[in-house]
C-alpha cells in the first residue's frame, strides 16, 4: 500500500509504502501485534516511529500515529527509506483492523493476517 502526502505547512513531502500488519498467535497467549512500513524521507535527518493514538475511536480498531522528529544537525538531502515498526501486546487479540494515521491526518487502513 503506497500513499503520498504533502503538508501545506512547508514540511517535507512524505511517501509511505509496504504496510503490513499481523498477529503472531504463537504462545504465550494472547499473541503479539506487529505493524511495519517504509517511510521515504528526503534525508536521513529524521526519526520515525509508530505510537498508539491517544484518541482511539473504536475498540475494534487500533489507530497508530506516525510520528516524525527532526534530528539535530545538518544532513545531506538524499532520499532515505526508513523502516518503521510497532510491536504491541496484550491487546493483540482484540482488534479487527489497524489504521496508520499520517501527520497530515490521512489514514491508511490495514487489515491484518494471523500467524500460528
Amino acid at each position: 500500500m503506497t500513499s503520498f502526502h504533502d503538508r501545506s505547512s512547508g514540511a517535507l513531502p512524505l511517501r509511505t509504502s509496504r504496510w503490513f500488519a499481523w498477529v503472531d498467535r504463537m504462545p504465550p497467549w494472547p499473541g503479539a501485534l506487529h505493524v511495519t512500513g517504509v517511510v521515504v524521507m528526503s534525508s536521513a535527518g529524521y526519526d520515525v516511529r509508530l505510537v498508539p493514538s491517544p484518541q482511539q475511536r473504536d475498540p475494534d480498531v487500533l489507530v497508530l500515529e506516525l510520528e516524525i522528529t527532526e534530528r539535530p544537525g545538518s544532513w545531506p538531502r538524499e532520499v532515505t527509506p526508513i523502516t518503521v515498526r510497532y510491536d504491541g501486546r496484550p491487546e493483540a487479540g482484540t482488534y479487527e483492523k489497524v489504521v496508520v494515521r499520517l501527520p497530515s491526518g490521512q489514514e491508511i487502513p490495514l487489515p491484518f493476517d494471523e500467524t500460528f
Side-chain angles (χ1 to χ4, degrees):
M1 186 171 296
T2 302
S3 70
F4 177 82
H5 108 228
D6 187 0
R7 292 185 278 181
S8 59
S9 65
L12 297 170
L14 173 69
R15 287 185 304 155
T16 69
S17 64
R18 292 189 256 163
W19 289 107
F20 298 100
W22 71 98
V23 174
D24 182 351
R25 297 273 186 213
M26 294 295 290
W29 169 227
L33 173 65
H34 308 283
V35 178
T36 63
V38 175
V39 179
V40 179
M41 302 299 294
S42 62
S43 80
Y46 295 90
D47 290 317
V48 182
R49 67 186 191 135
L50 290 171
V51 296
S53 173
Q55 301 171 340
Q56 299 291 331
R57 304 177 297 244
D58 183 340
D60 296 330
V61 179
L62 173 62
V63 178
L64 297 173
E65 304 273 350
L66 180 66
E67 289 187 352
I68 300 171
T69 307
E70 190 170 1
R71 294 179 184 173
S74 179
W75 297 86
R77 305 227 7 122
E78 181 177 293
V79 174
T80 306
I82 303 170
T83 299
V84 62
R85 181 179 178 105
Y86 171 81
D87 297 298
R89 179 178 270 187
E91 303 87 9
T94 64
Y95 301 117
E96 293 179 13
K97 73 176 181 175
V98 176
V99 171
V100 174
R101 184 178 299 141
L102 302 180
S104 68
Q106 176 186 355
E107 294 184 346
I108 303 171
L110 304 174
F112 57 81
D113 294 323
E114 293 183 311
T115 60
F116 297 91

